[in-house]
Amino acid sequence: ALCKQHGADLMYTEFISFLKGKRYSKSTVTTYSFLVTEFLVFIKHRPLLELEEKDIHKFVQKIYLPKKTAISTHRQFICAINHFFTFLQHPLKIEFSKFAPKKDKRLPNILSKKEIIRLIQVTKNLKHRVCIAFLYATGLRISELLQLKLVELDFERMLIKVVQFKGRKDRYIP
């Protein structure tokens, strides 16, 4: 919950309702509310409408940099604070590119065909072996595989219909 000195529970509930009203996923609502709470604990007794850009910079310098927080978390924090300030009708407008670090542009670590075959061979549980092979062959995310239903498999056209996952997008996978 938000720290008590800011009028806590009601504001927390209203902020969550605000995010839900924007139709964000449960995960996004949870993450944004946590990040805002962490910031409010940091600023303590400061009146919310008196917050300035320097408060955000201080938070990042004192909390995120020493903990070596991931860049993706830092970027999410900027989005969360931006939404919180919009919710508060705060006069400060957060310019994302000014506050958020650039994303890393690293290539993923890709296993070779031999490594995948070896992984499948050493996996004893048949269900797990099938899952690994299926993930490798289709490129599905693990969460998508776990929620997959038989009706979403089109055997005639050799397609899998992935419904409403990341970004609430539908897609077909060969």
Side-chain angles (χ1 to χ4, degrees):
L2 292 176
C3 46
K4 296 289 179 205
Q5 62 269 25
H6 289 293
D9 298 333
L10 181 60
M11 184 177 27
Y12 181 76
T13 304
E14 288 176 359
F15 180 57
I16 288 176
S17 294
F18 171 78
L19 293 174
K20 287 179 178 177
K22 289 181 149 283
R23 315 262 319 219
Y24 286 116
S25 71
K26 184 178 180 182
S27 172
T28 300
V29 171
T30 301
T31 300
Y32 282 13
S33 60
F34 172 79
L35 294 171
V36 167
T37 300
E38 192 176 36
F39 177 69
L40 293 176
V41 167
F42 174 77
I43 59 159
K44 298 185 178 139
H45 300 291
R46 298 265 326 272
L48 294 176
L49 293 177
E50 292 178 16
L51 294 175
E52 301 172 7
E53 286 184 2
K54 68 179 181 178
D55 296 307
I56 296 167
H57 289 298
K58 280 182 187 174
F59 174 76
V60 169
Q61 290 169 353
K62 302 241 188 229
I63 303 297
Y64 284 175
L65 295 181
K67 289 195 314 188
K68 297 182 179 169
T69 302
I71 287 175
S72 59
T73 303
H74 186 155
R75 291 172 63 84
Q76 281 182 311
F77 165 70
I78 300 303
C79 287
I81 286 299
N82 200 5
H83 286 294
F84 186 63
F85 282 3
T86 300
F87 162 73
L88 290 175
Q89 298 178 347
H90 196 286
L92 180 61
K93 300 296 175 220
I94 305 297
E95 189 179 326
F96 185 79
S97 61
K98 183 177 176 181
F99 286 91
K102 290 186 179 179
K103 281 184 179 181
D104 289 338
K105 294 184 180 177
R106 294 181 183 167
L107 292 173
N109 187 9
I110 299 172
L111 298 176
S112 69
K113 206 175 203 177
K114 277 185 180 177
E115 290 171 317
I116 293 293
I117 291 169
R118 182 74 185 126
L119 182 62
I120 293 168
Q121 287 172 342
V122 299
T123 304
K124 305 246 184 282
N125 185 308
L126 179 61
K127 179 175 76 173
H128 296 164
R129 292 175 73 177
V130 170
C131 287
I132 292 168
F134 199 77
L135 289 169
Y136 178 70
T138 62
L140 281 174
R141 295 176 182 96
I142 292 173
S143 58
E144 293 170 338
L145 175 65
L146 295 174
Q147 299 296 316
L148 194 62
K149 295 174 181 65
L150 194 58
V151 296
E152 295 165 346
L153 301 175
D154 184 343
F155 294 104
E156 192 173 300
R157 296 188 310 174
M158 298 296 289
L159 292 174
I160 302 167
K161 184 177 183 181
V162 180
V163 182
Q164 298 288 297
F165 267 87
K166 191 170 182 176
R168 291 192 302 262
K169 295 175 189 161
D170 292 352
R171 63 190 172 113
Y172 281 102
I173 296 174

